[in-house]
Amino acid sequence: MALYVHKYGGTSMGSTERIRNVAKRVAKWARAGHQMVVVPSAMSGETNRLLGLAKELSPGKASDAYHRELDQLAATGEQASSALLAIALQGEGMQAVSYTGWQVPVRTDNSYTKARIESIDDQRVRADLDAGKVVIITGFQGIDAQGHITTLGRGGSDTSAVAIAAALKAHECLIYTDVDGVYTTDPRVVPEARRQATLSFEEMLEMASLGSKVLQIRSVEFAGKYKVPLRVLSSFTSWDVDIDEEARSGTLITFEEDEQMEKAIVSGIAFSRDEAKISVLGVPDTPGIAYQILGPVAAANIDVDVIIQNVGKEGKTDFSFTVNRNDYQRATELLKSKVLPQLGAQEVIGDDKIAKVSIVGIGMRSHVGVASQMFHALSEEGINIKMISTSEIKTSVVIDDKYVELAVRCLHKAFNLDKA
Amino acid sequence: MALYVHKYGGTSMGSTERIRNVAKRVAKWARAGHQMVVVPSAMSGETNRLLGLAKELSPGKASDAYHRELDQLAATGEQASSALLAIALQGEGMQAVSYTGWQVPVRTDNSYTKARIESIDDQRVRADLDAGKVVIITGFQGIDAQGHITTLGRGGSDTSAVAIAAALKAHECLIYTDVDGVYTTDPRVVPEARRQATLSFEEMLEMASLGSKVLQIRSVEFAGKYKVPLRVLSSFTSWDVDIDEEARSGTLITFEEDEQMEKAIVSGIAFSRDEAKISVLGVPDTPGIAYQILGPVAAANIDVDVIIQNVGKEGKTDFSFTVNRNDYQRATELLKSKVLPQLGAQEVIGDDKIAKVSIVGIGMRSHVGVASQMFHALSEEGINIKMISTSEIKTSVVIDDKYVELAVRCLHKAFNLDKA
């Protein structure tokens, strides 16, 4: 007997039939003697429907008062799906009760629409678990110190589930989703891609930040901070699959260094097409240049990813960075109008037809030459590398976006990821 | 400057366009210098949609745990519409904030799906009003002593609005609805029916209980208990109608006995077709008979309306009562199977093609002969009266339902209700 937290996404909660399947699955776990806490998202489409109504009525300019009401509105989606799941569980003969964020309570700061969890009171939940009830807690939301409803932002239900698992010291937090785990790379690009049975927390964090959308990155950070064992698995298997089999399925994100010992050097290939590259040419090579260029960009709320400053010659240097493709136009105009004249730089050039491909692996820590192995594999295919960025457990390259599938496939093969 | 509570029904909140109209109307009142509290219902159709989903998943048998989840679910409808109205008001340039029942808090008992309001804390609302904000409070819901969400049952938003007006000692509680007031009778039956500018609380109570569906009866009782001046008016006038004209429109339900002085003896004709009559014949005329017959009926949750016990002869009597037509079959079978054998009565007969027509008027208190004037008018039209029931300010008759329009028209005329 152990305490488990299950999290179900919007697609898994998308209809009464699917909610009934979730209830049957949870009931199976509870009947096996486990204490069960379930964190559901809103039914798929519901959050968009509500925010669409708000948009029609929107005052046009953002304000704290407006964001407060958006949270008050959006939080109803999870409240409804949680109550429906409790009812479905009662229909399966279980005792079940649903709580909103404020009923637990899940305390957050007061940053409406992107609040951060500060603490979770486990008293009420624990009393219900001890009384034999399945406890359902709305994902995505909490309450601030003044009694206002807050939400954690898109995908926040993953974070809620992990935070609740941490507060209850759950044995494992199971994230049920529409894929059956984390793959070595996107199976739509590389059919030989394999599901990874385990993955280290650091690797998952890199995969999530590099565009693998299985888990919200904040939830992975949270899991890392509180050492919550996290398992990503599919909610589209039959609910009555053997429970031991289910408990071993998917991908376990783990914190035990031992388990990493026999892992491959590279565990996955991540890629992102939503990139654009901007270069400022002929910048005077003086201290403070990076801040003078990127300060205005950050102030305009544009996220910068890979940053490269070439070695200067003749007192001039070239400064390049990548941004999200959606921000490309805005960033380029900002640099041309505001930064270029002040800086006395020569030119701003850019390219919005690029992609980023990364190899990730905790084994890279202790193995040298992994990056050059990557560069070699790409050059063999005639793929030109435009930018390089490295960290302890990943190497990213920026390439022409037309080569992205080819690059992912050749790297997947070069690092033997298609072999079990 | 005064404090007003506005209540808007589901139809008035039925789309973003209608919500924008409500916001414009409320903004007009606020700009005229009034402190404004608004109590909206859920968007029309939303509560039914939510309860429909619950029904699909329902455990089949009712329980407290199930009703708790129904309330947790249904309460989201008003939370969403209230947040949307706050957003629309912000769009009109107003400061606005929405609160759920638990945020105010509106404290209730723990009778899920039919809770009763126990107290309302006015501190938070008053602070916001004093800060110049329009305050929106979800109708229909509250919180019990254990922190569970409760709802007040269908139409409970009227009751919420009146209770909030009482707690805040509002100048008036305006119930905006899809009709422009309370009429002398249903204008679809009698085209000459007139809107009543004022109506006494007792008359409104009788009209509401006799099937006039303009106001929920509990809200009228609440208004009576706390002497809240209540105005029923239309939300389908243009929002920019002159505010003084709007403030005098509709029907004012009042508690000032003075204002009744010049009122007509009969102020309205109510009727209901949803009736059925059941008679138990040849009942031994002994004490306790009424309880022996109606006890099992009440235990089966069947509401009994008009009750008649004829004078007995030869130790036998006939006992008749009316029930809602939906309960007719169930009540008849219950009496035949359970009550008849034990009682030694002869027979149970019934008629589900009857209707009830009532005249209501506070003037009946001080005028004799009003009932006989009613009976005379009906007999002139050849309408046979099957049962009679009277109270201080109303007289009801049960007749064949095919005569109901004729009866209402002839009584409307007999009591000069078509004349201003």
Side-chain angles (χ1 to χ4, degrees):
Chain A
M1 180 181 131
L3 196 162
Y4 281 93
V5 174
H6 279 194
K7 185 262 169 180
Y8 292 91
T11 318
S12 312
M13 297 289 293
S15 66
T16 48
E17 198 193 324
R18 288 187 178 173
I19 291 174
R20 193 175 289 117
N21 274 328
V22 168
K24 285 180 192 293
R25 191 183 297 273
V26 171
K28 175 183 71 180
W29 281 73
R31 289 204 181 94
H34 299 302
Q35 291 193 318
M36 297 300 301
V37 175
V38 188
V39 180
S41 296
M43 294 175 77
S44 55
E46 181 63 5
T47 309
N48 282 338
R49 183 183 76 84
L50 292 167
L51 296 181
L53 293 171
K55 207 171 170 187
E56 286 180 45
L57 295 167
S58 155
K61 66 170 196 281
S63 69
D64 228 35
Y66 173 55
H67 286 145
R68 180 199 179 277
E69 299 303 326
L70 285 183
D71 281 0
Q72 186 96 344
L73 177 68
T76 62
E78 279 75 15
Q79 184 174 329
S81 66
S82 295
L84 287 170
L85 180 56
I87 289 169
L89 275 158
Q90 291 167 2
E92 296 301 318
M94 311 303 294
Q95 285 192 73
V97 62
S98 76
Y99 292 119
T100 58
W102 63 265
Q103 283 176 319
V104 171
V106 176
R107 298 198 183 282
T108 72
D109 63 19
N110 62 359
S111 308
Y112 301 121
T113 74
K114 48 179 192 298
R116 291 194 163 264
I117 296 175
E118 289 179 342
S119 69
I120 295 179
D121 189 336
D122 67 344
Q123 209 178 344
R124 185 167 206 168
V125 176
R126 223 172 258 289
D128 283 327
L129 289 173
D130 291 343
K133 290 181 194 170
V134 175
V135 178
I136 298 142
I137 302 175
T138 54
F140 178 61
Q141 63 194 263
I143 183 172
D144 76 5
Q146 278 70 49
H148 301 294
I149 294 175
T150 54
T151 73
L152 311 183
R154 277 294 160 123
S157 290
D158 284 354
T159 308
S160 299
V162 173
I164 288 161
L168 293 169
K169 299 180 181 60
H171 176 65
E172 234 177 58
C173 178
L174 278 63
I175 310 279
Y176 286 85
T177 176
D178 51 1
V179 296
D180 67 348
V182 182
Y183 275 68
T184 50
T185 194
D186 188 337
R188 284 168 300 187
V189 172
V190 182
E192 297 80 19
R194 286 179 309 104
R195 178 174 58 78
Q196 312 193 62
T198 65
L199 202 60
S200 77
F201 153 69
E202 291 94 336
E203 285 168 322
M204 188 63 230
L205 206 55
E206 290 287 359
M207 294 295 277
S209 68
L210 293 171
S212 168
K213 298 195 177 69
V214 178
L215 279 175
Q216 213 227 355
I217 190 159
R218 268 173 64 196
S219 71
V220 182
E221 290 170 355
F222 220 102
K225 189 168 170 190
Y226 294 100
K227 303 259 181 291
V228 178
L230 207 58
R231 186 179 292 275
V232 177
L233 68 175
S234 172
S235 68
F236 289 107
T237 58
S238 174
W239 67 266
D240 57 356
V241 63
D242 177 73
I243 190 168
D244 293 326
E245 190 183 315
E246 187 172 320
R248 282 191 308 267
S249 71
T251 299
L252 177 66
I253 291 128
T254 172
F255 304 90
E256 312 292 326
E257 284 287 334
D258 293 5
E259 296 177 23
Q260 306 305 326
M261 300 281 284
E262 295 179 71
K263 292 274 290 185
I265 296 168
V266 171
S267 59
I269 318 278
F271 59 92
S272 157
R273 290 173 221 262
D274 306 327
E275 311 272 329
K277 178 190 166 192
I278 298 175
S279 297
V280 187
L281 306 181
V283 181
D285 193 3
T286 53
I289 280 302
Y291 177 72
Q292 277 177 272
I293 293 173
L294 296 181
V297 174
N301 243 329
I302 297 170
D303 266 345
V304 169
D305 183 13
V306 181
I307 302 169
I308 305 278
Q309 186 175 351
N310 288 349
V311 175
K313 53 183 178 185
E314 297 165 16
K316 298 272 181 184
T317 186
D318 298 336
F319 190 94
S320 300
F321 57 93
T322 62
V323 296
N324 190 290
R325 205 172 284 180
N326 292 329
D327 293 325
Y328 173 64
Q329 208 64 39
R330 205 154 59 91
T332 308
E333 278 159 22
L334 181 75
L335 289 170
K336 283 183 179 166
S337 65
K338 297 259 172 71
V339 177
L340 209 57
Q342 283 188 13
L343 216 59
Q346 286 166 332
E347 202 184 347
V348 173
I349 59 168
D351 184 353
D352 66 349
K353 294 201 167 43
I354 58 155
K356 187 172 69 171
V357 177
S358 311
I359 57 173
V360 176
I362 208 160
M364 290 166 76
R365 272 187 193 152
S366 44
H367 287 74
V368 291
V370 178
S372 57
Q373 199 179 340
M374 179 192 198
F375 306 150
H376 178 70
L378 294 173
S379 75
E380 288 280 296
E381 298 292 339
I383 299 170
N384 189 34
I385 298 170
K386 293 166 177 283
M387 296 170 88
I388 298 171
S389 153
T390 61
S391 79
E392 206 183 3
I393 65 161
K394 74 127 209 267
T395 302
S396 300
V397 296
V398 171
I399 59 174
D400 266 347
D401 71 354
K402 66 182 171 188
Y403 293 127
V404 66
E405 289 90 352
L406 177 61
V408 171
R409 275 198 299 269
C410 86
L411 292 172
H412 199 266
K413 192 154 183 190
F415 290 103
N416 291 316
L417 292 177
D418 45 355
K419 302 201 176 69
Chain B
M1 178 180 131
L3 196 162
Y4 281 93
V5 174
H6 279 195
K7 186 262 168 180
Y8 292 91
T11 319
S12 312
M13 296 290 292
S15 66
T16 48
E17 198 193 324
R18 288 187 177 173
I19 291 174
R20 195 176 288 119
N21 275 328
V22 168
K24 285 179 190 293
R25 191 183 296 274
V26 171
K28 175 183 72 180
W29 282 73
R31 291 205 181 94
H34 299 302
Q35 291 193 317
M36 298 301 301
V37 175
V38 187
V39 180
S41 296
M43 292 175 78
S44 55
E46 182 62 6
T47 308
N48 283 339
R49 183 183 76 86
L50 291 167
L51 296 180
L53 292 172
K55 205 171 171 188
E56 285 180 46
L57 295 167
S58 156
K61 67 170 196 281
S63 69
D64 229 35
Y66 173 56
H67 286 145
R68 180 200 179 276
E69 299 302 326
L70 285 183
D71 281 0
Q72 185 96 345
L73 177 68
T76 62
E78 279 75 15
Q79 183 174 329
S81 67
S82 295
L84 288 169
L85 181 55
I87 289 170
L89 275 158
Q90 291 169 1
E92 296 300 317
M94 311 302 293
Q95 285 192 72
V97 62
S98 75
Y99 292 120
T100 58
W102 63 265
Q103 283 176 319
V104 172
V106 175
R107 299 199 183 281
T108 73
D109 63 17
N110 62 0
S111 308
Y112 300 122
T113 74
K114 48 178 195 296
R116 292 195 162 263
I117 295 175
E118 289 179 343
S119 69
I120 295 179
D121 189 336
D122 68 344
Q123 209 178 342
R124 185 168 206 167
V125 176
R126 224 173 258 287
D128 282 327
L129 290 173
D130 291 343
K133 291 181 194 171
V134 174
V135 178
I136 298 142
I137 302 175
T138 54
F140 178 61
Q141 64 194 263
I143 183 171
D144 76 4
Q146 279 70 48
H148 300 295
I149 293 175
T150 54
T151 73
L152 312 182
R154 277 292 158 125
S157 290
D158 285 354
T159 307
S160 298
V162 172
I164 288 162
L168 293 169
K169 298 179 181 57
H171 177 65
E172 233 178 58
C173 178
L174 278 64
I175 310 279
Y176 286 86
T177 176
D178 51 0
V179 297
D180 68 347
V182 183
Y183 275 67
T184 49
T185 194
D186 188 337
R188 285 168 299 188
V189 172
V190 183
E192 297 81 17
R194 286 178 309 102
R195 179 174 58 78
Q196 311 193 61
T198 65
L199 203 60
S200 77
F201 153 69
E202 292 94 334
E203 285 168 322
M204 188 63 230
L205 207 55
E206 290 287 0
M207 294 295 277
S209 68
L210 292 171
S212 168
K213 297 193 178 74
V214 177
L215 278 176
Q216 214 227 354
I217 191 159
R218 269 172 63 196
S219 72
V220 182
E221 289 170 356
F222 220 103
K225 189 166 169 192
Y226 294 101
K227 304 258 182 288
V228 177
L230 206 58
R231 186 178 294 274
V232 177
L233 68 174
S234 172
S235 68
F236 290 108
T237 58
S238 173
W239 68 266
D240 57 356
V241 64
D242 177 74
I243 190 168
D244 293 327
E245 190 184 312
E246 186 171 318
R248 285 190 308 268
S249 71
T251 298
L252 177 67
I253 291 125
T254 174
F255 305 91
E256 312 291 326
E257 283 287 334
D258 294 5
E259 297 177 22
Q260 307 305 327
M261 298 282 284
E262 296 180 69
K263 292 274 290 183
I265 296 167
V266 170
S267 59
I269 319 278
F271 59 91
S272 158
R273 292 174 219 261
D274 306 327
E275 310 272 329
K277 177 190 166 193
I278 298 174
S279 296
V280 187
L281 305 182
V283 181
D285 195 3
T286 53
I289 279 302
Y291 177 73
Q292 279 179 270
I293 294 173
L294 296 183
V297 174
N301 243 328
I302 297 170
D303 266 345
V304 169
D305 181 13
V306 182
I307 302 168
I308 305 278
Q309 185 173 353
N310 286 349
V311 176
K313 50 182 178 186
E314 297 166 14
K316 297 271 183 187
T317 186
D318 298 337
F319 190 93
S320 300
F321 58 94
T322 62
V323 296
N324 190 291
R325 204 173 283 180
N326 292 329
D327 294 324
Y328 173 65
Q329 208 63 38
R330 204 154 59 90
T332 308
E333 277 159 23
L334 181 76
L335 289 169
K336 283 186 178 162
S337 65
K338 296 262 171 70
V339 178
L340 209 59
Q342 284 188 13
L343 215 61
Q346 285 165 333
E347 202 183 348
V348 174
I349 60 168
D351 184 354
D352 66 349
K353 294 200 167 39
I354 58 155
K356 187 172 68 169
V357 177
S358 310
I359 56 172
V360 176
I362 208 158
M364 290 166 75
R365 273 189 192 147
S366 45
H367 288 75
V368 292
V370 178
S372 58
Q373 198 180 339
M374 179 193 198
F375 306 150
H376 178 71
L378 293 172
S379 76
E380 286 282 295
E381 299 291 340
I383 299 169
N384 187 34
I385 297 170
K386 294 168 175 279
M387 296 169 89
I388 298 171
S389 154
T390 60
S391 79
E392 206 184 1
I393 64 160
K394 73 125 209 267
T395 302
S396 299
V397 297
V398 171
I399 60 174
D400 267 348
D401 71 352
K402 67 182 171 188
Y403 292 128
V404 66
E405 290 90 353
L406 178 61
V408 171
R409 275 197 301 267
C410 87
L411 291 171
H412 200 266
K413 194 158 181 177
F415 289 102
N416 291 317
L417 292 178
D418 46 354
K419 301 197 177 72

